[in-house]
Amino acid sequence: MAGHSDKPAKKEAMSDITILEHGSIWIEDGKIVEVGTDAEMREKYQGQLDSVTEIDASGKTVTPGLIDPHTHLVHAGTRENEYAMRLKGKTYMEIMESGGGIHATTRATQAASYETLYEASKKRLDKFLLHGVTTVEAKSGYGLTLEHELKQLKVAEQLRQNHPIDIVSTFMGAHAVPLDEKRNPEAFVTRVVEEMIPEVAERKLATFNDVFCERGVFTPEQSKRVLEAGKQYGLTPKIHADEIEPYAGAELAAEVGAISADHLLEASDAGIKAMAEKEVVGVLLPGTAFFLMAEFAPARKMIDAGVAVALSTDQNPGSSPTISLPFIMNLGCLKMNMTPEEVLTATTINAAHAIGCAGEAGSLEAGKKADITIFDVPNYLTLSYQYGMNHVDTVIKSGKQLVVEGRLQ
């Protein structure tokens, strides 16, 4: 994935993954020092080979550590009852409007203790690691009050300090309007803007600020107000855009200079064009479309239009209860007409750009963190060919082996 640290890969460049056969990586102090052929590296470092740890990846496929740029990591509770309701014909928005959906998870998260949230989220991170992921983005948004939004963000911050996976935090107080404020959503938007955002920024608990721009949730005008307020406090905009119906979310992402627009199942042609012009990364979440039995985002159209595309699990208890980024890669190929090369780019260097960490992660290049995933497959095509399987053999995070032969160390 070398050569795209300054700008994400677009169009044909998403297929240029730079394959090195019979390659080796030299790592020191948690950083990549050099990448080259095995013969070149053995000759250059022959005087040091007796004193280093050598990891044999013969017959396997070595990639950058996978990056998941859109998760709702910190939450309590599950919603399998809603899954059963949807199988009987209820829609996602119908369930949410009747008090379920995000509101159900909000009640569970508000009721959960800090320790309960921490332990549940740590278990999810361990599972991400077992699936080859070395960096995740984590959103709040199941608190909907200052107290509980801060609780979620503090859990993410403690996990960032204690867990080997890198965590980038996003404040998403504007995830839904609380049920008891449905009649006056403007008052809730004002509280997000005037009370929550300043406090989150003051405590330095988030890098990004997100909003669910969707009919029945937050209007484009309300969403713009939230995102512009975040910018005033140094929080970079992100946006849940055009998930259920076309709602000018992609256009808004371009207008406010968002780092990414996510979902985009129903993004308009004008919105896609605007995103490409303003270099907004399109984070696509095929697991959500799969689980909600909806149409998939038009990945092919976006890539051809010049949008840098990334992929993510959207890990959450309601619309995408999975932690398998490799399965998301399968869906990218099988349901969104992406190539195996494009899905690798979308889950490494482009995903890094979607959360602002491409300078240190997302590719195997000198100077970057030694975040590496080794898959027990003979070539990268097998990763998207054999679907629903976890081929992760070894995960190296900042030079340390954390998963060996598919097991946590």
Side-chain angles (χ1 to χ4, degrees):
M1 306 303 165
H4 301 292
S5 295
D6 294 332
K7 295 275 189 178
K10 301 175 185 177
K11 291 191 172 182
E12 295 83 4
M14 284 190 66
S15 294
D16 182 18
I17 62 174
T18 319
I19 300 167
L20 178 65
E21 295 187 0
H22 307 294
S24 284
I25 304 169
W26 189 267
I27 300 166
E28 293 180 9
D29 300 323
K31 296 286 185 73
I32 295 173
V33 175
E34 192 171 356
V35 181
T37 67
D38 191 53
E40 291 170 343
M41 302 286 273
R42 288 188 181 281
E43 181 178 358
K44 181 170 182 177
Y45 294 100
Q46 58 183 325
Q48 298 169 256
L49 292 178
D50 290 340
S51 60
V52 300
T53 300
E54 185 172 331
I55 301 170
D56 185 359
S58 299
K60 299 173 184 176
T61 299
V62 181
T63 75
L66 302 183
I67 295 173
D68 196 326
H70 181 130
T71 83
H72 298 263
L73 175 74
V74 181
H75 66 267
T78 58
R79 304 210 312 253
E80 62 273 16
N81 60 317
E82 295 180 8
Y83 166 67
M85 292 167 65
R86 286 193 298 100
L87 291 176
K88 294 178 180 178
K90 288 282 188 180
T91 69
Y92 177 84
M93 291 303 293
E94 285 173 344
I95 292 169
M96 181 172 166
E97 289 164 1
S98 66
I102 292 168
H103 302 297
T105 302
T106 296
R107 289 191 292 272
T109 302
Q110 288 180 345
S113 68
Y114 181 95
E115 292 73 19
T116 297
L117 281 179
Y118 180 89
E119 289 303 322
S121 303
K122 180 181 179 296
K123 286 181 180 179
R124 291 184 199 108
L125 280 179
D126 288 344
K127 290 177 182 178
F128 271 116
L129 196 58
L130 287 167
H131 284 78
V133 173
T134 54
T135 301
V136 301
E137 181 256 21
K139 302 180 190 295
S140 65
Y142 291 127
L144 303 188
T145 67
L146 178 59
E147 174 191 358
H148 293 292
E149 288 291 309
L150 291 177
K151 180 172 69 172
Q152 281 189 274
L153 291 169
K154 287 176 182 176
V155 167
E157 175 61 21
Q158 186 177 354
L159 286 166
R160 187 184 68 79
Q161 295 175 12
N162 296 347
H163 199 280
I165 286 183
D166 283 330
I167 300 173
V168 180
S169 289
T170 296
F171 168 65
M172 199 179 178
H175 197 189
V177 179
L179 287 173
D180 58 359
E181 299 185 60
K182 291 287 283 185
R183 294 180 182 274
N184 189 13
E186 284 295 331
F188 179 71
V189 171
T190 296
R191 192 156 71 254
V192 171
V193 167
E194 297 183 0
E195 177 185 350
M196 296 189 195
I197 287 175
E199 188 71 17
V200 168
E202 174 70 22
R203 293 171 180 251
K204 295 181 169 53
L205 287 173
T207 302
F208 302 107
N209 178 37
D210 202 342
V211 61
F212 191 2
C213 182
E214 191 67 58
R215 192 178 303 279
V217 191
F218 296 99
T219 67
E221 294 76 20
Q222 291 168 335
S223 300
K224 182 179 179 180
R225 187 178 167 205
V226 169
L227 296 178
E228 291 290 357
K231 287 166 64 176
Q232 296 293 317
Y233 286 90
L235 300 178
T236 301
K238 280 182 168 289
I239 182 170
H240 281 51
D242 304 317
E243 178 182 2
I244 310 297
E245 62 178 85
Y247 205 49
E251 291 91 332
L252 179 59
E255 180 184 350
V256 301
I259 192 170
S260 76
D262 302 21
H263 285 294
L264 302 169
L265 279 68
E266 301 293 339
S268 69
D269 290 347
I272 291 170
K273 182 174 183 288
M275 284 178 58
E277 290 173 350
K278 296 294 186 178
E279 299 188 326
V280 180
V281 178
V283 178
L284 307 185
L285 315 168
T288 307
F290 174 78
F291 195 69
L292 295 182
M293 297 173 284
E295 291 294 319
F296 286 76
R300 186 80 269 134
K301 179 189 291 186
M302 292 182 195
I303 293 171
D304 292 344
V307 175
V309 167
L311 293 175
S312 171
T313 60
D314 188 22
Q315 189 281 315
N316 75 82
S319 62
S320 190
T322 183
I323 45 77
S324 177
L325 199 51
F327 178 58
I328 298 304
M329 295 162 72
N330 299 145
L331 291 178
C333 291
L334 296 172
K335 299 304 246 178
M336 296 199 303
N337 200 27
M338 295 175 70
T339 67
E341 295 83 3
E342 288 169 343
V343 299
L344 271 173
T345 298
T347 51
T348 54
I349 193 64
N350 278 9
H353 278 287
I355 54 174
C357 65
E360 60 184 20
S363 60
L364 301 178
E365 297 183 79
K368 290 199 172 183
K369 289 183 178 180
D371 292 357
I372 300 165
T373 299
I374 303 175
F375 295 93
D376 191 10
V377 294
N379 56 66
Y380 72 91
L381 293 173
T382 309
L383 294 176
S384 52
Y385 159 64
Q386 293 185 334
Y387 66 90
M389 298 171 66
N390 184 11
H391 291 296
V392 172
D393 177 87
T394 301
V395 180
I396 300 164
K397 175 63 186 168
S398 296
K400 296 180 180 178
Q401 291 188 77
L402 301 178
V403 175
V404 177
E405 294 183 345
R407 292 187 293 272
L408 288 172
Q409 297 303 290

